[in-house]
Each structure stands twice: as C-alpha cells, then as structure tokens.
Amino acid sequence: MDERLKQQLDFALEVDKEKNIFRQTHLSGHGRNENDAEHAWHMALMAYLLREHANEAVDITKVMLMCLIHDIVEIDAGDTYAYDPEGLKTQKEREEKAKERIFSLLPKDQKEELIALFDEFEAYESPEAKFAHAMDNLQPLLLNNSNDGADWREHGVSAEQVYGRQNKTRLGSEKIFTEVVDRLIREHIEKGNL
Amino acid sequence: MDERLKQQLDFALEVDKEKNIFRQTHLSGHGRNENDAEHAWHMALMAYLLREHANEAVDITKVMLMCLIHDIVEIDAGDTYAYDPEGLKTQKEREEKAKERIFSLLPKDQKEELIALFDEFEAYESPEAKFAHAMDNLQPLLLNNSNDGADWREHGVSAEQVYGRQNKTRLGSEKIFTEVVDRLIREHIEKGNL
C-alpha cells in the first residue's frame, strides 16, 4: 500500500475513537448521552437542509466538513460542557495539543487543510464558521427541548448562561435565532426549566 | 415559525432516531456495536479524505450527502446485516415504505431531492453512488480488521460472502480494492477468520 493511502487509513481508524466521547446532551426520547460522532453527523445533515436560512451565502461543503471534524480534538481533550467554567479555562490548551497529534496522522497537505478548517471554525468569523456554530448550538437545543429541558435542569443551567452561548447563533442565522432558539428558551424559562 | 422551517426541524428531530439503530460491526478496540449515525459520519469523512482514489471524478458534496442519508430508512426498516439472506429478501420493501414516511416530513422539494439521492445511491450506477458504496464497504472492513475479524467469526461469514460484497468496492475505487480490501481479506483467510 502506498504511504499516502496508509496515512489516510491510519487517520480514519484513529477518528473512530470519537464515537466513545460522550456529551452532556441526551438523545430524544430521554435516551442515553449522545456521542461526538453522531452529533457531528446530525449537525452536518442539518447544515445542508437549513443552509437557506444562513445570514450570508455559505460554501456548504465547507460547512459540512467543519461539522464533521470540529470535535475530533476531543478524542484526546475530552468533551468540555458548554456550561462548565473550570473546564473551559483549560479547553484551548488541551485541544491545541490534540489537534497537532491527531491531524498529523494525515498526509501533510490534508493535515494542513483540516487544521485550517478547524481553526477557521474556532475563530467564529467566516460565514461558514458562523453557520456551523449555529448548527452546533441548535442541534443540542432541539434534543434538549424534545426532552423538556432535562439537560439544563440536571446541571442547574441559567437562562443567562444559555443566552450567553445562544446569542451567537444569530451570527449564523438571524431567522433560526429569532424563530426557534429565542422562542424555545423563553418557553423553558416560563416552564421553570431555566 | 414558518411552515417550511418547522418541517425541516421535524425531520431533523426524527432522524435523531438513527442513533438507536445498531449494526453488526463493532467499534475499534473491540468496542460496542456501531450505530448507523456514527457509521454515516465516518463514511462521509472518509469519502472526503479518500476522494482522490475514486475511479472517476466525483461531486464530493453529493457523495458526502449520500453517506449521511443512506441509512435513514433503517429508522423504520431496521439494519439488515450484509450477510443475512432472509433479511435481504424483504429489505427493499421495508426500506421503500420507510423512505416515503420519513422523507415526507421535509418540504416537498427537499423530500424529492433526498429521495432522488437515496435512489441514486441504491442504483449503484453513478460515479458518486459507486464511491459512496466503496466507503460503505471499506469503513466496516477497517473496523473489523482492527478487531482481528471478530465480526466475521461471530457470524461464521465465508470468504465467498465477503468477496460477493467487496468485489463491488472496485467499482468505486480500483486502488482501494486492490491495495486495501483484497489484501486484508486474503490476510484474514490465511488467519482462518474467513
């Protein structure tokens, strides 16, 4: 087997481990905790179907790729809950190390391409990054809403914390923020879930 | 919320159930059974990284989408093991019903688009379908190989059965078939796993 193909397959096998990284979000139907790989799948598919609602025109292939790879670093760094202030302090450093190790399994050009894509996502500036983040925020909100806000209640999350994260959803899609996210958060505040 | 957005979100929530459809393949490291959603994520990412090895030029966005949606019908129809002759007899009928019900949750244009994409994948004729199928065949082979062929041993699968499926991998990528698939199968025959 040629070296390039071998490197690609080594990476493909390594990222299988992402299926063992579990998030705080639970599946619909009050199911088990969700893992990073299925979360990424869900986001990528939602991004494609909802792309017409992005504030700016997006390169949808790039958005889908961002969705697919954005949590690979968690294979080493673990999942950091969006409302865990202690974990968030060290998240950047842990993820930088993981990024270097894992993407280095790939041929050099693909390593560079995927790291650039990951960094672009993290920078939250391009239309694609903003829309991919909107999906990263919307997807667990849909699940949590379907479970009557159980994830928030379990962690005692406040409306202020949720808005702190979800206000940025509007950077990717004003329509989704206004018609879905903001409306759902208000409903959960009324119900006492936040 | 406008009706179109509502339909899109209803579909997004419905497909969450794909995470509960488990396959016969086990995760690397002799892990648990894999589910359809994480399998689809893995395939889509592999398709992007390995696209240079496709026999024919492919529209990679289309391939990735095929990978992401190809198992959605299994939410209703269940997973049919590639080496289960009884299940394979009724698979088509079960999946046709599921396709109609699940994709009908979407706005009409998106329903038609995704059904066309699913049908194209199933037809195994376009360059994109052939390459997506190559990923559908390669991905579990990589995992099963990493587990010393345990999935084949558990089900008493024969080399003939594996070649029956994997010979079609060469329609998508002659290179991957020759340098990876065929080589690995031969190794497992030698080890007595097939």
Side-chain angles (χ1 to χ4, degrees), chain B residues 24-146:
Chain B
Q24 296 300 326
T25 308
H26 290 77
L27 302 188
S28 61
H30 296 275
R32 60 168 169 81
N33 287 67
E34 181 183 47
N35 70 58
D36 275 352
E38 54 198 9
H39 161 65
W41 163 79
H42 210 170
M43 276 173 65
L45 183 53
M46 286 172 63
Y48 183 79
L49 293 171
L50 297 171
R51 68 196 186 286
E52 69 197 61
H53 307 302
N55 291 341
E56 301 163 88
V58 291
D59 173 342
I60 193 61
T61 311
K62 196 172 174 182
V63 174
M64 289 165 66
L65 272 171
M66 278 183 183
C67 293
L68 294 177
I69 70 156
H70 80 292
D71 275 341
I72 284 177
V73 293
E74 297 191 357
I75 290 171
D76 288 355
D79 178 55
T80 306
Y81 188 44
Y83 308 115
D84 166 15
E86 286 307 307
L88 291 169
K89 282 184 197 162
T90 60
Q91 182 180 17
K92 183 79 182 164
E93 189 190 330
R94 285 180 284 124
E95 294 192 350
E96 283 297 310
K97 273 190 199 165
K99 181 178 83 174
E100 185 58 30
R101 184 191 72 79
I102 301 168
F103 290 119
S104 291
L105 295 169
L106 283 168
K108 190 164 175 291
D109 61 309
Q110 292 191 314
K111 170 191 173 178
E112 287 169 2
E113 182 192 355
L114 263 57
I115 284 185
L117 204 64
F118 176 83
D119 288 344
E120 182 178 332
F121 174 79
E122 289 288 304
Y124 223 133
E125 285 169 2
S126 70
E128 286 78 14
K130 288 187 268 188
F131 192 61
H133 272 287
M135 297 300 106
D136 199 19
N137 293 340
L138 174 64
Q139 187 266 350
L141 180 68
L142 277 190
L143 296 191
N144 192 17
N145 174 62
S146 79

Side-chain angles (χ1 to χ4, degrees), chain A residues 87-97 119 122:
Chain A
L88 291 170
K89 281 183 199 166
T90 60
Q91 182 180 15
K92 182 80 182 162
E93 189 189 330
R94 284 180 285 122
E95 294 192 350
E96 283 296 311
K97 272 190 200 165
D119 288 345
E122 289 289 302

Side-chain angles (χ1 to χ4, degrees), chain A residues 50 53 138 142 145 175-181 183-184 187, chain B residues 1-10:
Chain A
L50 297 171
H53 308 302
L138 174 65
L142 278 190
N145 175 61
K175 181 181 175 84
I176 289 173
F177 178 79
T178 309
E179 295 192 24
V180 186
V181 173
R183 192 176 61 73
L184 290 179
E187 282 177 17
Chain B
M1 195 189 326
D2 78 36
E3 182 60 18
R4 184 172 171 85
L5 179 53
K6 185 181 177 310
Q7 289 175 318
Q8 292 165 332
L9 296 180
D10 285 348

